[in-house]
Amino acid sequence: MEPLVLQYQDIILRDRIPADIPDHRRWLSTETAWLEWDAPWESNNPNFISRYLEHMERQLQEPLPAIRRTLEICHRDGTHIGLVNAYYIDGDRERLAVGIGLRESSYWGKGLGTMAFRLWLAYLFAATGNKGIYCQTWSGNIRMMKLAGKCCFSLWERKKDFRQVKGQPFDALTYVLRREVFWAMHPDLAQTFQQRRA
């Protein structure tokens, strides 16, 4: 199967390559500011880093799936800056959820996460035909909550005091975005992906 490369504004999404692994190792050991937002409880697990990298290396040995579940984020200058992913909530194939990790902190604050997330959503809506896509976060992740708002997600479920972080309770949040809302907000992306299918 041909490698997948998608581009939108200043962002490129592409399949993972072996050269990405050292970046992921660095993001888990020294360039770790993103963990404070993404899932700070995972960094407390001493086996987390080794399991995470082993999983990535195993995936590189597997054939590329027809519909990608993860892509790497690069800036148009070629710098590898993070990844996007997708998974099913509790294994429910009707509830596809998406995530993003913009891990290279020197690229924060430039709107790149919004570009990457919109491109990822466009790809998944076009590739899967799903009527809705979800995203999950916690109420301490202000960046993800703002990004969900920018991308027109609406709150679908809130679980109060679901998780403790640094001794403080936080809610679990699940958002949903309807396909027709997304395409109406992004006619440029709708046109691009219609052309890709043609």
Side-chain angles (χ1 to χ4, degrees):
M1 183 174 293
E2 287 294 314
L4 182 63
V5 179
L6 306 171
Q7 187 160 5
Y8 176 61
Q9 297 178 342
D10 293 335
I11 283 297
I12 297 164
L13 299 183
R14 59 159 175 78
D15 287 316
R16 181 172 296 143
I17 57 175
D20 295 331
I21 299 296
D23 287 335
H24 284 283
R25 184 175 291 110
R26 182 171 53 83
W27 292 333
L28 290 162
S29 57
T30 57
E31 173 71 6
T32 58
W34 64 276
L35 275 169
E36 291 298 311
W37 301 97
D38 190 69
W41 51 89
E42 289 181 339
S43 61
N44 297 328
N45 184 335
N47 298 319
F48 172 68
I49 294 176
S50 58
R51 286 205 319 266
Y52 188 94
L53 294 173
E54 286 167 9
H55 176 69
M56 282 191 166
E57 287 169 353
R58 280 197 307 274
Q59 283 185 321
L60 283 168
Q61 307 305 314
E62 297 170 0
L64 290 169
I67 298 175
R68 306 304 200 263
R69 298 282 291 277
T70 186
L71 291 173
E72 301 295 313
I73 308 171
C74 295
H75 188 267
R76 62 176 176 158
D77 68 10
T79 306
H80 179 214
I81 60 174
L83 79 161
V84 287
N85 70 324
Y87 59 94
Y88 294 109
I89 298 174
D90 299 326
D92 182 350
R93 298 186 73 83
E94 297 298 312
R95 293 194 293 160
L96 180 68
V98 291
I100 180 170
L102 195 65
R103 296 181 173 175
E104 200 65 45
S105 60
S106 61
Y107 283 79
W108 291 359
K110 305 175 190 298
L112 301 172
T114 303
M115 293 175 203
F117 209 49
R118 286 175 176 161
L119 180 56
W120 183 226
L121 288 164
Y123 165 75
L124 288 172
F125 274 126
T128 66
N130 282 34
K131 293 180 180 178
I133 290 177
Y134 296 80
C135 76
Q136 296 181 300
T137 191
W138 58 294
S139 58
N141 191 345
I142 305 301
R143 291 171 182 264
M144 189 66 234
M145 293 163 64
K146 286 182 178 178
L147 180 56
K150 281 184 189 177
C151 294
C152 300
F153 280 84
S154 56
L155 186 63
W156 183 73
E157 182 180 51
R158 177 187 291 268
K159 294 180 180 176
K160 293 289 289 180
D161 300 338
F162 184 78
R163 196 174 289 281
Q164 292 273 329
V165 178
K166 296 180 180 177
Q168 298 294 316
F170 290 92
D171 300 345
L173 307 173
T174 302
Y175 296 85
V176 67
L177 173 62
R178 298 298 172 198
R179 183 177 61 196
E180 63 273 15
V181 171
F182 179 78
W183 289 135
M185 290 293 295
H186 302 291
D188 56 332
L189 284 167
Q191 184 176 12
T192 296
F193 279 87
Q194 285 169 356
Q195 290 168 350
R196 284 180 65 89
R197 291 198 302 268

